[in-house]
Amino acid sequence: MSNQLLARPMPEDAPSTAAAWVARIRRKVADAGRTVRLMEFCGTHTVAIARSGLRGMLRGAVELVSGPGCPVCVTADGEIDRMLAYCDVPGAIVATYGDLLRVPGSRTSLAGRRAEGADVRVVYSALDALQLAREAPDRPVIFLGVGFETTAPAAALAVKAASEEGVGNFCLHSAHKQTPAAMRALLRDGGRPGEALTLDGIICPGHVSTVLGAEGFAFLPAEFGIPGAVAGFEPLDILLAVDCLVDAALGRRPVALWNGYRRWVRPEGNRRAQALLSEVFCTCDARWRGLGLLPESGLRLKPEFARFDAEVRFPADVAEPPARSGCRCGDVLRGTLAPADCPLFGAACRPERPMGPCMVSSEGACAAWYRYGTAEEEQP
């Protein structure tokens, strides 16, 4: 086994169309007499796979399973309830991304609180929320930060700017999480002790890899003996990753980590973004929907930035609520249940009345399956 990082440009004999490449992969798997099971850890990959119909095109040869790659989806109910509590802070402006507004907590959602009169605003980045704080210096502005290593640097930059400028009414609630911790949890025990998850390879997230670098996932072959492939988001990018992982699973290539997204992802990643994260954040235990409490999987502000920490400024005693009856988002995020196999999918749970975050977020597996399900089903 090799655990080195290998670059993987498009091979010279690469098919020029997705259909031809799918046929090539299917031939390899048919010759081996077994199926290959892969998991993608990125909501954008989930949507790209569903939109292009790749899951259906590869069905019977390669099983593509969606993992916990949607940051809104993995935010636990208790975290949502803590966010909702900020709506009760006198004079507060609560700012966050649009995908988070309709995620249900134990009683309501941010959209529901806004309908009740709370000042909840949609922004495109933490820096937009910082600008709100500059424009309304007499009101607390609480930015609800969710996301993985991709969006966390922008939140860190906003906090650092607020500190340097003395914008004391800006604060951050950090629900940022770290992707490698979730990968390790799933590969160790399926996210729950005793629930094994059998995978032949991992399609590593392209956006996260631009920050962490491809080297950030070198632990896959080194610690778990499983191949990984960093992928872009076009169908041929994804098929290149699938091809690499299929070859490794079938013994045609070494078990290693491949970088097939070299036009954006460097081995070492974005050092400036990494330094910014280290300056502003420290790791902490974090609760993930479907995976529970994972040690050192979250990011919270360092003590020197505590005055910008919403949990410190506006503490709320919020207990973790019981699991929502019937919602199987946790199982979907662990890869143990396909969205269409949830009894609520497409019936009680639809985009216009979602029962869980996987149907709310634009990157949620349930939303992707619902929107592009017909294309999936038409494939062989």
Side-chain angles (χ1 to χ4, degrees):
M1 182 190 74
S2 170
N3 62 11
Q4 67 184 119
L5 173 63
L6 303 176
R8 180 74 191 275
M10 287 289 182
E12 292 183 1
D13 63 340
S16 59
T17 67
W21 208 330
V22 166
R24 163 175 152 153
I25 292 171
R26 294 183 71 90
R27 283 194 300 270
K28 292 180 185 180
V29 175
D31 290 344
R34 55 159 293 194
T35 60
V36 175
R37 194 167 194 252
L38 309 176
M39 175 178 277
E40 85 271 0
F41 266 80
C42 175
T44 310
H45 280 149
T46 297
V47 173
I49 288 168
R51 183 175 58 231
S52 61
L54 289 180
R55 182 175 288 104
M57 293 171 74
L58 292 166
R59 185 177 294 121
V62 177
E63 181 184 2
L64 294 174
V65 182
S66 300
C70 166
V72 170
C73 301
V74 301
T75 305
D77 284 341
E79 191 92 56
I80 299 296
D81 283 350
R82 278 187 284 276
M83 294 174 177
L84 291 168
Y86 296 129
C87 295
D88 295 322
V89 174
I93 299 172
V94 177
T96 192
Y97 304 117
D99 267 9
L100 199 58
L101 254 65
R102 296 174 61 234
V103 176
S106 58
R107 185 184 69 84
T108 185
S109 64
L110 287 166
R113 289 306 312 268
R114 184 165 68 174
E116 294 169 358
D119 193 348
V120 180
R121 305 189 191 182
V122 173
V123 294
Y124 291 100
S125 78
L127 294 173
D128 292 339
L130 176 59
Q131 183 60 29
L132 290 176
R134 295 189 186 107
E135 295 169 356
D138 57 337
R139 300 181 64 184
V141 175
I142 305 168
F143 176 67
L144 309 179
V146 297
F148 301 126
E149 294 85 351
T150 314
T151 56
L157 185 61
V159 169
K160 185 177 179 181
S163 178
E164 292 172 348
E165 298 175 24
V167 185
N169 62 319
F170 173 80
C171 57
L172 166 72
H173 174 91
S174 175
H176 292 290
K177 294 178 172 61
Q178 301 183 92
T179 306
M183 285 189 181
R184 284 186 164 98
L186 282 171
L187 292 173
R188 276 196 308 267
D189 52 28
R192 289 184 179 178
E195 292 189 14
L197 183 67
T198 303
L199 295 173
D200 293 303
I202 300 287
I203 301 174
C204 300
H207 293 143
V208 169
S209 297
T210 62
V211 175
L212 290 185
E215 292 173 350
F217 299 101
F219 68 89
L220 293 172
E223 296 179 22
F224 295 98
I226 187 171
V230 179
F233 302 100
E234 296 301 322
L236 292 183
D237 287 321
I238 297 169
L239 287 170
L240 171 63
V242 171
D243 198 32
C244 290
L245 297 173
V246 165
D247 281 349
L250 301 181
R252 300 164 64 103
R253 291 183 180 273
V255 174
L257 177 70
W258 286 274
N259 181 8
Y261 198 30
R262 293 187 301 161
R263 61 188 184 273
W264 285 109
V265 176
R266 294 175 293 185
E268 73 280 7
N270 187 325
R271 295 297 195 198
R272 292 181 64 184
Q274 293 168 17
L276 187 59
L277 290 175
S278 297
E279 179 182 357
V280 175
F281 289 114
C282 57
T283 60
C284 64
D285 298 347
R287 189 170 297 280
W288 296 58
R289 187 183 301 271
L291 301 179
L293 188 67
L294 300 184
E296 298 185 351
S297 65
L299 294 171
R300 69 170 302 162
L301 293 176
K302 285 185 170 180
E304 53 264 43
F305 294 101
R307 65 191 183 280
F308 300 104
D309 191 330
E311 292 187 80
V312 174
R313 294 264 303 270
F314 308 107
D317 186 14
V318 178
E320 186 68 25
R324 190 176 294 104
S325 177
C327 178
R328 302 288 298 276
C329 277
D331 297 323
V332 171
L333 292 166
R334 288 200 313 278
T336 59
L337 183 79
D341 292 333
C342 174
L344 302 182
F345 179 82
C349 184
R350 300 163 65 94
E352 62 271 20
R353 53 174 189 277
M355 298 294 291
C358 294
M359 187 63 87
V360 174
S361 175
S362 60
E363 294 191 338
C366 294
W369 278 57
Y370 185 89
R371 182 175 184 183
Y372 300 108
T374 301
E376 293 276 339
E377 292 165 6
E378 287 176 355
Q379 304 300 330

